[in-house]
């Protein structure tokens, strides 16, 4: 018996969990997180691989995550709704195809259309959610392989006004020209048109000191979650009428100048154009501002004097003062001028470029900052270079190995690009990357008609979005945690988003897709398909530009905090004085810009006249629609509407109405209502909100179909930035009609 006995086999070692530090796929706060990948419970499927998300220590989030970030891993893996194979439209249906078939079809159709209609017959639509490498390659692909001018991106709906204003006044487009942690020391923060408590909740902890001093001032037509943070003596909430922000800011500036509260010494040393600005605000005395903004003259004077006193105290050794803007004041036909007015107000107080505070705008999309620097805008080349500047064109073309005159000129901004689809002057084909224009674009019914009229629509996505349903070819791509890449957060800080899991079999990186299409189109300019290789090219191409990325190597990202502009002196190889410490971190580059000079050649900020076009009292247009985000959802909802824990909290479009307004319109809370504008109509469930102005209704823009808020917006544009008017649409509101004997 003993001869036959065997020793029991030792148990197989339990595979160890793997943890990867990375960054969130959503907003520009770019919270750090750790993804822990547990061993698969089944060898045949990836759907059972548990991925745990935990917040990681990082200056912007300090270990905290919002609901969206905490549930982000739910979308990873072989989900039933995940795109894993190319789709080609046969008649009315999309069928599965091989990659060769799909890419060959796209290339042949592009070639035929350009032979018949010219290079600009093909359009490209990008995204602020793409990594720097993808955004750069997309712009390069459009201008070298397609040789089309018709490229723009969804940041035109988000950051265009703020970017234009900062470029014109400060000479440089960087959202926050200082580290976010500088807000920790602030005694006063004026927050204009931003609901950070819902849109980027970890941001709120940076407002704690201002709140403890009673110094958080929120300007918003509704008592948002952020406005509620001003309660119990923590600050003040001002609720202007939609469109009233610009008159409010000009009236505050009027008081500062009229009462001698502006910092004249700072203005004379660091700005030009004060006299023309002074003349333009001379007529905006507080009583006139009250008639248009809806904020009382007394509150306008109080705000001006409060800001001036706080700024003076800061210069006497006190705590800093900051003015921050968000989309609420920027997504208007006068959004650029409103952002200019906010910057001008900060300059009157003597704040930007000093330790006493400053101005910044809160970038929305995850790579909204980097995405607009990499060359996917209609008028820009990589490094914030201008496509109309001969020197900038020459610098870019030299790196790409083509003559400067081979580069196309400026194209059409996003709204015009979409609203002219299929027309005589529009593109015949459109390639969409990382965007869901059927939900996000203004006047979406017009956009849908344009998409139907195209000869070719190609959509790259990881889910079958509403836009993909219109496509002739759908190409499945990798998600955030399935590939490497870099992003630039709201502070201008360059981040490495690391690959943590394998993507589903069949999905491909957009870098690979663009390289393959360029090869099939016989492009003379090859495209790299590996993120690290593309990043090294970005370093070379942006060297010497305003958004210079040349001074940090791929492998060093994560070791140091790198803020652009970064010159080609790499402290990783040659340590030097460029490296400093901020909040305990080693830092290279420029965490704080404008300390010595502004971005214009003369080193000064450029003030100038700001005018209000056709000022109207708040009652002039009746009920006004303003749109925005919810805590549970992000952008067009392509991702978050697929997360049960998020969709369960807010499953459909709602319209928030003041109870007094609802009573006059015979609306019932919880029932559906119909909103109508000159552009169309939508349906939403009624929610009572006593924190809203009675002349204003609020609708989130994350939903599709009859619940799409952009069925109502008209595509009216800011003439300077081409930003659509999303926040000020005249509407009527009615109980929804009965359907099958019941209220719908």
């Amino acid at each position: 018996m003993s001869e036959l006995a065997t020793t029991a086999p030792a148990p197989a070692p339990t595979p160890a969990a793997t943890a990867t530090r990375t960054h969130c796929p959503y907003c520009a706060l770019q919270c750090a997180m750790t993804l822990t990948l547990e061993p698969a419970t089944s060898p045949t499927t990836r759907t059972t691989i548990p991925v745990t998300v935990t917040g990681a220590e990082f200056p912007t989030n300090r270990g905290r995550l919002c609901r969206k970030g905490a549930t982000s891993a739910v979308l990873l893996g072989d989900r039933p709704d995940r795109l894993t194979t190319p789709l080609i439209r046969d008649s009315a249906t999309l069928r599965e195809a091989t990659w060769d078939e799909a890419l060959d079809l796209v290339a042949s159709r592009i070639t035929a259309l350009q032979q018949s209609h010219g290079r600009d017959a093909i359009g490209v639509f990008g995204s602020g959610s793409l990594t720097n490498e993808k955004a750069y390659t997309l712009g390069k692909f459009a201008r070298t392989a397609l040789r089309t001018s018709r490229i723009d991106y969804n940041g035109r709906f988000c950051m265009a006004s703020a970017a234009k204003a900062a470029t014109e006044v400060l000479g440089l487009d960087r959202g926050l020209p200082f580290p976010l942690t500088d807000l920790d020391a602030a005694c006063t923060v004026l927050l204009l048109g931003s609901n950070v408590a819902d849109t980027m909740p970890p941001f709120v902890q940076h407002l704690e000191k201002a709140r403890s001093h009673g110094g958080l001032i929120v300007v918003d037509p509704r008592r948002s979650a952020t406005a509620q943070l001003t309660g119990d003596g923590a600050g003040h909430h001002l609720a202007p009428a939609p469109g009233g922000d610009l008159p409010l800011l000009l009236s505050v500036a009027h008081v500062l100048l009229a009462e001698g509260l502006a910092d004249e010494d700072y203005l004379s040393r660091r700005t030009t154009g004060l006299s023309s600005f002074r003349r333009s605000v001379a007529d905006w005395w507080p009583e006139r501002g009250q008639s248009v903004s809806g904020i009382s003259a007394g509150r306008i004077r109080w705000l001006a004097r409060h800001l001036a006193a706080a700024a003076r105290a800061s210069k006497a050794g006190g705590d800093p003062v900051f003015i921050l803007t968000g989309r609420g004041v920027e997504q208007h036909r006068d959004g650029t001028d409103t952002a200019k007015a906010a910057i001008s107000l900060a300059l009157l107080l003597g704040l930007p470029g000093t330790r006493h505070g400053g101005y910044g705008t809160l970038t929305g999309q995850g790579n909204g900052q980097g995405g607009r620097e990499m060359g996917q805008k209609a008028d820009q080349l990589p490094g914030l270079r201008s496509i109309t500047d001969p020197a900038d064109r020459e610098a870019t073309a030299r790196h790409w190995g083509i003559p400067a005159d081979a580069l196309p000129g400026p194209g059409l901004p996003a709204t015009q690009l979409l609203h002219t689809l299929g027309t005589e002057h529009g593109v015949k084909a459109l390639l969409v990357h990382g965007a869901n224009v059927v939900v996000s674009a203004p006047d979406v019914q017009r956009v849908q008609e344009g998409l139907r009229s195209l000869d070719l629509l190609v959509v790259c996505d990881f889910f079958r979005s509403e836009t993909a349903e219109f496509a002739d070819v759908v190409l499945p791509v990798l998600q955030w945690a399935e590939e490497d890449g870099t992003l630039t957060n709201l502070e201008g800080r360059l981040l490495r988003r690391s690959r943590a899991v394998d993507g589903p079999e069949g999905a491909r990186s957009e870098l690979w897709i663009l390289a393959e299409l360029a090869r099939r189109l016989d492009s003379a300019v090859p495209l790299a398909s590996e993120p690290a290789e593309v990043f090294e090219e970005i370093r070379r191409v942006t060297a010497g530009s305003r958004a210079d990325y040349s001074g940090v190597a791929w492998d060093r990202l994560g070791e140091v905090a790198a803020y652009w502009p970064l010159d080609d002196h790499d402290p990783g190889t040659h340590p030097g004085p460029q490296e400093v410490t901020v909040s305990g971190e080693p830092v290279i580059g420029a965490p704080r810009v404008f300390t010595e000079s502004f971005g214009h050649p003369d080193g000064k900020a450029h003030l100038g006249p700001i005018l209000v076009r056709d000022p109207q009292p708040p009652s002039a247009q009746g009920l006004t629609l303003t749109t925005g985000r919810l805590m549970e959802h992000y952008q067009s909802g392509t991702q978050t509407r697929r997360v049960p824990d998020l969709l369960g909290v807010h499953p459909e479009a709602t319209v928030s109405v003041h109870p007094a307004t609802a009573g006059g319109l015979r609306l019932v809370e919880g029932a559906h209502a119909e909103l109508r504008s000159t552009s169309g109509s939508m349906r939403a469930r009624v929610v009572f909100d006593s924190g809203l102005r009675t002349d204003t209704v609020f609708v989130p823009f994350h939903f599709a179909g009859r619940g799409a808020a952009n069925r109502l917006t008209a595509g009216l544009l800011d003439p300077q930035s081409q930003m659509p008017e999303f926040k000020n649409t005249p509407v009527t509101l009615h109980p929804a009609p009965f359907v099958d004997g019941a209220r719908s």
Side-chain angles (χ1 to χ4, degrees):
M1 193 68 183
S2 61
E3 292 178 5
L4 299 177
T6 59
T7 303
T14 302
T18 58
T20 303
R21 181 184 169 94
T22 188
H23 292 270
C24 180
Y26 293 116
C27 80
L29 202 59
Q30 281 300 289
C31 298
M33 56 171 56
T34 299
L35 298 187
T36 302
L37 179 65
E38 300 293 342
T41 58
S42 166
T44 60
T45 178
R46 294 179 61 251
T47 58
T48 56
I49 299 177
V51 180
T52 303
V53 178
T54 54
E57 188 60 33
F58 189 65
T60 62
N61 66 307
R62 293 175 177 147
R64 302 183 187 181
L65 296 175
C66 73
R67 296 175 187 174
K68 294 184 291 292
T71 57
S72 55
V74 171
L75 299 178
L76 301 173
D78 294 324
R79 296 166 49 93
D81 55 352
R82 182 73 187 272
L83 289 170
T84 59
T85 188
L87 304 175
I88 292 176
R89 185 169 300 282
D90 279 344
S91 185
T93 61
L94 289 166
R95 66 167 176 83
E96 294 187 355
T98 66
W99 273 104
D100 281 339
E101 181 185 11
L103 295 177
D104 286 345
L105 174 64
V106 172
S108 64
R109 296 280 293 277
I110 287 173
T111 299
L113 287 169
Q114 288 190 321
Q115 288 175 347
S116 299
H117 302 285
R119 294 285 186 181
D120 282 351
I122 313 302
V124 177
F125 198 92
S127 170
S129 294
L130 300 177
T131 63
N132 288 320
E133 293 73 30
K134 291 180 183 179
Y136 169 84
T137 302
L138 190 64
K140 183 180 179 183
F141 170 80
R143 292 176 173 117
T144 62
L146 298 177
R147 296 186 63 183
T148 180
S149 69
R150 298 302 196 253
I151 178 172
D152 207 40
Y153 80 129
N154 63 9
R156 187 71 64 175
F157 305 151
C158 182
M159 294 303 303
S161 291
K164 182 72 171 178
T167 300
E168 291 199 359
V169 181
L170 302 176
L172 185 69
D173 166 26
R174 202 176 94 177
L176 290 187
F178 49 81
L180 182 60
T181 51
D182 282 4
L183 295 179
D184 294 335
C187 66
T188 299
V189 176
L190 175 60
L191 191 56
L192 298 152
S194 181
N195 183 18
V196 290
D198 277 346
T199 60
M200 45 179 70
F203 183 102
V204 170
Q205 61 194 307
H206 299 288
L207 303 174
E208 288 306 312
K209 184 168 184 178
R211 294 182 67 220
S212 70
H213 284 67
L216 177 61
I217 305 169
V218 177
V219 177
D220 197 309
R222 64 190 184 110
R223 192 162 178 79
S224 64
T226 305
Q228 292 174 34
L229 295 175
T230 64
D232 298 325
H236 303 267
H237 172 217
L238 282 67
D245 308 291
L246 180 55
L248 170 64
L249 291 170
L250 296 182
S251 294
V252 172
H254 173 99
V255 174
L256 291 176
L257 291 168
E259 297 187 2
L261 301 176
D263 189 332
E264 297 287 351
D265 176 64
Y266 174 96
L267 291 168
S268 65
R269 288 185 297 104
R270 302 211 58 184
T271 74
T272 64
L274 176 60
S275 59
S276 61
F277 176 77
R278 188 191 300 268
R279 286 193 297 272
S280 71
V281 303
D283 292 338
W284 282 102
W285 57 90
E287 285 73 18
R288 187 186 183 206
Q290 171 182 306
S291 69
V292 181
S293 71
I295 300 298
S296 72
R299 291 289 272 173
I300 291 172
R301 288 190 173 92
W302 167 84
L303 178 58
R305 293 164 183 168
H306 178 91
L307 292 172
R312 282 197 307 271
S314 176
K315 293 163 191 174
D319 297 321
V321 178
F322 291 92
I323 296 176
L324 307 176
T325 62
R327 307 300 81 74
V329 298
E330 298 162 4
Q331 288 179 321
H332 291 276
R333 281 173 288 174
D334 59 7
T336 300
D337 282 334
T338 306
K340 286 181 183 178
I343 300 171
S344 301
L345 187 60
L347 292 168
L348 292 182
L349 296 168
L351 301 176
T354 76
R355 69 169 188 83
H356 310 302
Y359 161 83
T361 184
L362 304 181
T363 300
Q365 294 188 83
N367 199 31
Q369 179 71 62
R372 64 185 187 266
E373 300 162 5
M374 288 296 121
Q376 61 175 332
K377 287 182 71 174
D379 56 350
Q380 281 188 349
L381 294 168
L384 292 177
R385 288 189 166 110
S386 170
I387 201 165
T388 59
D389 182 275
D392 285 351
R393 291 172 60 84
E394 178 61 37
T396 304
R398 182 173 63 254
H399 283 289
W400 288 350
I402 59 174
D405 58 9
L407 285 173
L412 292 178
T415 302
Q416 294 97 314
L417 178 64
L418 294 174
H419 284 179
T420 58
L421 294 176
T423 68
E424 179 184 357
H425 303 291
V427 300
K428 310 301 179 185
L430 185 68
L431 282 62
V432 179
H433 296 259
N436 188 10
V437 296
V438 167
V439 176
S440 63
D443 197 350
V444 293
Q445 293 171 102
R446 183 175 177 182
V447 173
Q448 290 176 14
E449 293 170 3
L451 293 176
R452 291 189 186 99
S453 71
L454 289 173
D455 293 304
L456 175 67
L457 174 62
V458 181
V459 174
C460 289
D461 212 326
F462 32 82
F463 294 116
R464 195 158 158 169
S465 68
E466 286 77 16
T467 303
E469 295 300 331
F470 287 80
D472 299 291
V473 179
V474 181
L475 302 177
V477 297
L478 298 173
Q479 284 194 73
W480 59 288
E482 298 164 353
E483 58 183 345
D484 284 322
T486 67
L487 300 96
T488 308
N489 77 347
L490 78 173
E491 312 162 296
R493 176 172 174 162
L494 189 59
L495 306 173
R496 172 90 173 268
R497 187 187 280 173
S498 300
R499 177 179 170 275
V501 299
D502 293 332
E505 186 176 352
R508 298 287 187 271
S509 167
E510 275 156 302
L511 295 179
W512 179 86
I513 292 170
L514 294 171
E516 284 295 306
L517 283 175
R519 183 175 63 81
R520 284 169 165 83
L521 292 168
D522 296 324
S523 173
V525 181
L527 301 181
S529 59
E530 291 298 324
E533 186 179 354
V534 177
F535 181 76
E536 288 305 307
E537 185 174 333
I538 289 171
R539 292 180 63 195
R540 295 192 298 272
V541 173
T542 63
S545 72
R546 287 181 292 172
D548 189 334
Y549 279 48
S550 64
V552 61
W554 173 269
D555 291 339
R556 199 159 193 238
L557 292 173
E559 295 179 9
V560 295
Y563 296 83
W564 71 260
L566 294 141
D567 63 29
D568 59 5
H569 165 75
D570 186 345
T573 305
H574 306 288
Q578 186 184 24
E579 187 160 345
V580 297
T581 299
V582 174
S583 299
E585 284 190 299
V587 170
I588 58 174
R592 298 178 184 89
V593 294
F594 309 141
T595 55
E596 300 296 328
S597 65
F598 291 102
H600 291 295
D602 62 4
K604 294 189 175 184
H606 289 187
L607 291 163
I610 300 176
L611 305 176
V612 179
R613 292 167 291 167
D614 190 28
Q616 296 287 332
S619 59
Q621 68 180 30
L623 202 59
T624 299
L625 165 73
T626 186
T627 66
R629 282 172 49 186
L630 302 168
M631 178 181 288
E632 294 78 20
H633 291 293
Y634 180 72
Q635 303 301 83
S636 70
T638 301
Q639 294 158 277
T640 53
R641 284 187 278 118
R642 287 176 164 82
V643 178
D645 286 349
L646 300 177
L647 188 64
V649 176
H650 210 115
E652 62 177 324
T654 53
V655 54
S656 298
V657 191
H658 192 284
T661 305
L665 297 173
R666 303 180 66 182
L667 298 175
V668 177
E669 188 168 26
H672 283 90
E674 184 171 15
L675 293 91
R676 301 171 192 160
S677 74
T678 57
S679 297
S681 64
M682 69 164 291
R683 291 186 180 224
R685 190 174 295 279
V686 175
V687 174
F688 287 177
D689 183 354
S690 59
L692 265 171
R693 290 176 57 96
T694 56
D695 57 4
T696 305
V697 296
F698 170 81
V699 174
F701 54 62
H702 312 291
F703 298 93
R706 290 301 307 275
N710 284 319
R711 294 171 65 93
L712 303 171
T713 55
L716 302 173
L717 303 178
D718 181 317
Q720 300 177 74
S721 68
Q722 307 303 309
M723 167 74 81
E725 172 70 85
F726 286 121
K727 305 298 189 187
N728 189 9
T729 302
V731 295
T732 58
L733 185 58
H734 317 268
F738 286 89
V739 177
D740 297 329
R743 181 82 64 191
S744 67

